[in-house]
Amino acid sequence: RYKIYNEDAYKIIKKLKNENVNINHIITDPPYLISKDNNFYTMKNKRQGIDFGEWDKTFDLFSWIKPYSEILDKNGSMIIFCSYRYISYLINTLEANGLITKDILEWKKTNPMPRNTRRRYVQDTEFAIWAVKKGAKWIFNKPDDIPYLRSTFTTSTVLGKERTKHPTQKSLVLLKEIIKIHTNENDVILDPFMGSGTTGIAALELQRKFYGIEIEKDYYKIAEKRFQNV
Ligand code: SAM
């Protein structure tokens, strides 16, 4: 039902291609690159209080899209969580590789982290880009009993027993909601940057299949343990 690799997603893509692995959907949450300044913007004062680790500083956020889109099914969806800073850059990269952005999903957190509340808003939203290949007959499982689906998903951040040591673990409820809408049972979902494996756990709990990749051994082990309990 699932296969996970403790590898560099940039390296293992060659193996996945050689094995003709068929991926229906890519749902992923790559490093946000918000831990420090980088080429895309400059700020006088460094952001304070955010440092998830080295993996969030040197990551190439764009070059994986081309090789991974090549193993994505023609009717599949790609959903990429990202910092608002990179939304348009990622959309440009997707377009350059034959993918069209359909909508932006918004994750509204009911318990956002308050910082600098006298001078700043509490940033309570994160975003994900939903894209499909040109000409795709994409999946959109809108329940018949509601007139339309809104692009905002409201959940808490990870709390209690669900919480692992991964610093940017996503909410399982959120991933399950997204997977229900954008994929069907038995579909194969890939997360090349799986962290603690939330996308995969959500996929398995909803009778989907899963491929996951994580470069950091400690995070991989967290994921491995979570999978054993599904
Ligand atoms: N959604 C995940 C969760 O719920 O735990 C968190 C994902 S986190 C934002 C991104 C992950 O990508 C980190 O765990 C990081 O170690 C991993 N990563 C960074 N570069 C990678 C690479 N080249 N190949 C595979 N994983 C990588």
Side-chain angles (χ1 to χ4, degrees), residues 7-10 29-31 55 59 166 168-170 192-198 213-216 219:
E7 286 276 1
D8 180 346
Y10 273 101
D29 175 27
W55 57 268
F59 181 69
H166 195 292
T168 65
Q169 185 182 343
K170 282 276 179 305
F193 312 104
M194 72 171 169
S196 69
T198 312
I213 308 160
E214 170 56 47
I215 197 167
E216 298 280 344
Y219 298 155

Side-chain angles (χ1 to χ4, degrees), residues 57-69:
K57 295 177 185 166
T58 53
F59 181 69
D60 174 354
L61 182 58
F62 303 101
S63 308
W64 62 273
I65 288 178
K66 181 176 170 34
Y68 277 90
S69 68

Side-chain angles (χ1 to χ4, degrees), residues 17-227:
K17 273 189 185 172
N18 285 341
E19 289 176 0
N20 287 323
V21 168
N22 182 36
I23 299 296
N24 296 108
H25 312 281
I26 295 176
I27 301 179
T28 191
D29 175 27
Y32 273 26
L33 296 178
I34 56 175
S35 286
K36 81 168 200 353
D37 290 359
N38 55 65
N39 295 334
F40 284 93
Y41 64 97
T42 52
M43 287 168 72
K44 276 196 186 140
N45 302 310
K46 288 227 186 332
R47 287 171 74 98
Q48 286 177 359
I50 292 187
D51 189 352
F52 295 131
E54 280 309 307
W55 57 268
D56 196 45
K57 295 177 185 166
T58 53
F59 181 69
D60 174 354
L61 182 58
F62 303 101
S63 308
W64 62 273
I65 288 178
K66 181 176 170 34
Y68 277 90
S69 68
E70 287 165 11
I71 60 166
L72 179 67
D73 185 83
K74 65 179 187 340
N75 293 320
S77 285
M78 199 182 288
I79 295 174
I80 310 170
F81 282 90
C82 64
S83 161
Y84 61 85
R85 290 172 191 281
Y86 297 108
I87 293 175
S88 63
Y89 297 110
L90 279 165
I91 289 177
N92 288 347
T93 308
L94 287 162
E95 275 180 9
N97 289 290
L99 287 124
I100 305 162
T101 297
K102 301 310 297 178
D103 285 311
I104 300 295
L105 314 186
E106 184 189 26
W107 174 31
K108 189 170 272 298
K109 301 176 222 179
T110 53
N111 55 342
M113 187 179 25
R115 283 190 301 130
N116 213 352
T117 48
R118 282 168 183 261
R119 293 166 55 79
R120 297 276 303 268
Y121 293 99
V122 173
Q123 185 74 52
D124 64 352
T125 42
E126 289 191 32
F127 301 94
I129 300 165
W130 168 37
V132 300
K133 289 189 170 173
K134 278 190 193 121
K137 294 192 177 80
W138 65 82
I139 295 166
F140 191 69
N141 292 324
K142 184 188 82 62
D144 289 336
D145 56 345
I146 54 170
Y148 55 84
L149 280 173
R150 296 183 61 152
S151 56
T152 301
F153 296 75
T154 307
T155 81
S156 73
T157 57
V158 190
L159 298 168
K161 269 207 231 153
E162 192 185 328
R163 174 108 225 128
T164 73
K165 289 207 164 106
H166 195 292
T168 65
Q169 185 182 343
K170 282 276 179 305
S171 147
L172 187 58
V173 176
L174 170 70
L175 265 300
K176 281 174 99 166
E177 287 304 309
I178 291 172
I179 285 173
K180 272 189 235 162
I181 295 167
H182 290 280
T183 76
N184 288 332
E185 279 189 12
N186 295 316
D187 281 354
V188 182
I189 298 173
L190 165 72
D191 183 349
F193 312 104
M194 72 171 169
S196 69
T198 312
T199 308
I201 305 297
L204 296 187
E205 286 188 1
L206 293 168
Q207 285 70 51
R208 276 70 167 167
K209 293 171 185 146
F210 181 69
Y211 277 88
I213 308 160
E214 170 56 47
I215 197 167
E216 298 280 344
K217 188 155 207 132
D218 289 351
Y219 298 155
Y220 173 84
K221 281 195 176 150
I222 294 173
E224 198 175 35
K225 202 162 157 209
R226 288 179 89 191
F227 280 103

